[in-house]
Amino acid sequence: VQLQASGGGLVQAGDSLRLSCVASGRTGSTYVKGWFRQAPGKEREFVAAINWNGGITDYADSVKGRVTISRDNAKNAVYLRMNSLKPEDTAVYYCAADPPADFDVGYYSKIGMNYWGTGTQVTVSS
């Protein structure tokens, strides 16, 4: 199980960014996918999650309305589109996956996921 995130960078407040994560191995099209982030000196926190077919999504309150999670199962990829970026969005962003299950909104923000990928740094300057 491997998850490789990319797309981070240094941007200015108000800019947009799209993160990508490609999965290989067993984290196929039926797995729940998600994004988490960890800012310096803080615990890792939930950002967004999406069910296997993209029909159900969940977002942290801190990003709701500015962030969109999507997936392309043909490419084994999950994306995080972030708009109106703020300095407080600065963090290492990690993609994650969890085995197929009924998708309960709020569950992954509390429990996390089982498979973790590499992180990609997002830095937002003011």
Side-chain angles (χ1 to χ4, degrees):
V1 175
Q2 289 187 331
L3 299 161
Q4 181 73 44
S6 62
L10 172 63
V11 297
Q12 293 186 331
D15 283 353
S16 298
L17 207 58
R18 190 180 84 152
L19 306 183
S20 300
C21 176
V22 177
S24 60
R26 292 164 48 198
T27 54
S29 59
T30 59
Y31 275 59
V32 173
K33 302 284 175 68
W35 290 92
F36 293 74
R37 67 186 182 185
Q38 188 167 19
K42 295 187 177 181
E43 293 186 355
R44 187 163 51 192
E45 65 175 0
F46 170 80
V47 177
I50 188 167
N51 78 324
W52 73 276
N53 68 356
I56 307 174
T57 56
D58 189 18
Y59 297 97
D61 288 342
S62 59
V63 302
K64 202 169 290 184
R66 300 188 296 119
V67 165
T68 302
I69 187 171
S70 60
R71 64 190 295 163
D72 183 342
N73 288 338
K75 297 181 179 179
N76 238 356
V78 61
Y79 308 102
L80 190 71
R81 175 73 180 183
M82 301 187 291
N83 298 321
S84 302
L85 282 161
K86 304 175 182 180
E88 50 263 45
D89 293 319
T90 295
V92 177
Y93 284 72
Y94 297 91
C95 59
D98 216 51
D102 291 337
F103 189 105
D104 291 327
V105 171
Y107 176 80
Y108 298 102
S109 64
K110 299 181 179 67
I111 302 299
M113 295 187 181
N114 280 290
Y115 300 103
W116 295 92
T118 59
T120 186
Q121 176 72 48
V122 173
T123 303
V124 184
S125 64
S126 57

